[in-house]
Amino acid sequence: MLRFVTGNAGKLKEAQHYLTDPIEQVEYDYTEIQSDSLADIAVHGAKEAFDHLDGDDPLIVDDTGLFIDTLGGFPGPYSAYVEDTVGVERVWKLTELEENRRARFRTIVAYYDGERAETFEGSIRGRIVAPRGDDGFGYDPIFEHNGVTLAEMDIDQKNSISHRGRALAKFAEWFSADGEWNPGVPD
Ligand code: ITT
């Protein structure tokens, strides 16, 4: 079975909801190298996890960042650290007085099977707003897309337009065409 290496319950739920074939969650705290490149971080993490975990089923990791234009892309690859330290509300406060509150979410899904490493990217544009909504996780309440925050969407709505949904769709298309597994996305 395809393994998804993550400790983030929100990411897991979205991927399980989106992919038609079952995936197994594996918790392994891989090293997040310091890099401006989400892809480098994700591929490094996928290889390290594969080497340290038992089993040889292929696996994916998901590295995601919120990039705020007026803050030069902050928090970017450090989004998890910033959420854990200052919190999402403070990120809103940082941008509150800015005229330009445009931002982008980017996800890299990195696949590794012991030989082959591949990356799939998805992104979504939006803007930072005061927190609204109870669904989702992480920065969802402060990220608005077409007038609605990601935390005001249900999981299907979010997956249909989100950074993660887009990256997973590309991955699923490649993987089902290429491998014996068939984690397609619903029609
Ligand atoms: P794993 O590495 O265990 O998968 P993580 O939460 O540490 O989990 P990231 O480094 O990719 O993963 O997380 C980046 C940050 O962005 C983190 O604070 C997440 O809560 C947040 N995040 C990731 N995807 C998100 C999404 O779809 N909506 C809102 N916030 C998200």
Side-chain angles (χ1 to χ4, degrees), residues 4-9 11 14 28-30 32 38 41 61-66 76-84 88 105-107 136-141 143 150 158 162-164:
F4 184 12
V5 184
T6 183
N8 185 316
K11 287 183 182 179
E14 288 178 9
Y28 173 73
D29 196 13
Y30 54 83
E32 293 210 6
L38 293 182
I41 297 169
V61 306
D62 162 324
D63 201 49
T64 295
L66 172 67
Y78 308 106
S79 297
Y81 180 72
V82 170
E83 185 188 341
D84 291 347
V88 167
F105 256 123
R106 287 179 57 216
T107 289
F137 65 96
Y139 295 91
D140 282 347
F143 189 89
L150 295 181
K158 182 180 168 189
S162 79
H163 42 297
R164 178 162 302 101

Side-chain angles (χ1 to χ4, degrees), residues 18 38-39 42 61-67 103-110 119-125 143 150 158-171:
Y18 199 48
L38 293 182
V61 306
D62 162 324
D63 201 49
T64 295
L66 172 67
F67 297 77
R104 191 155 74 106
F105 256 123
R106 287 179 57 216
T107 289
I108 299 283
V109 169
T119 58
F120 306 87
E121 174 162 3
S123 69
I124 177 181
R125 282 217 146 268
F143 189 89
L150 295 181
K158 182 180 168 189
N159 267 338
S160 70
I161 50 112
S162 79
H163 42 297
R164 178 162 302 101
R166 288 172 180 172
L168 286 171
K170 288 181 192 168
F171 163 70

